[in-house]
Amino acid sequence: MSKAPASASKTATESNVRHGVDHSQELGHGNSPAAWTCVIVMLVGALIAAIAFVIASTPIFIAGAAVMVLGLIAGYIMRKAGYGVEGSKLNNSGH
């Protein structure tokens, strides 16, 4: 049995690829107007649905769920319009 560390036997590229996924690429944090809009609208929808659940109002609960779906759609549309991560409408300041 070798006393060398396990990472010493692997090449640099092999150590960054695990289970078929390349971990050397930075994925970012999704910090974009499209992502923030999607999350905020969905949080409002979840709040509406939660309040409706507590007061036992099915129509308001369904309205909250619909607001969450609208948040997903708004985020998708904004991403396609260039407001997503590295979108064409953003000034990429490297931040």
Side-chain angles (χ1 to χ4, degrees):
M1 188 142 218
S2 172
K3 294 192 179 205
S7 60
S9 64
K10 295 181 181 180
T11 64
T13 57
E14 288 175 348
S15 65
N16 288 332
V17 178
R18 292 185 189 96
H19 303 290
V21 178
D22 184 7
H23 293 281
S24 66
Q25 296 176 346
E26 185 176 337
L27 298 177
H29 297 284
N31 193 8
S32 68
W36 280 102
T37 301
C38 178
V39 168
I40 290 170
V41 172
M42 290 181 70
L43 282 172
V44 169
L47 178 64
I48 293 169
I51 291 170
F53 184 80
V54 170
I55 64 173
S57 176
T58 302
I60 297 174
F61 181 83
I62 292 171
V67 170
M68 287 191 279
V69 171
L70 289 175
L72 281 174
I73 294 169
Y76 178 77
I77 290 171
M78 287 182 71
R79 183 178 59 140
K80 289 297 182 184
Y83 291 102
V85 175
E86 296 183 8
S88 61
K89 302 278 174 94
L90 300 178
N91 294 332
N92 294 328
S93 62
H95 203 307

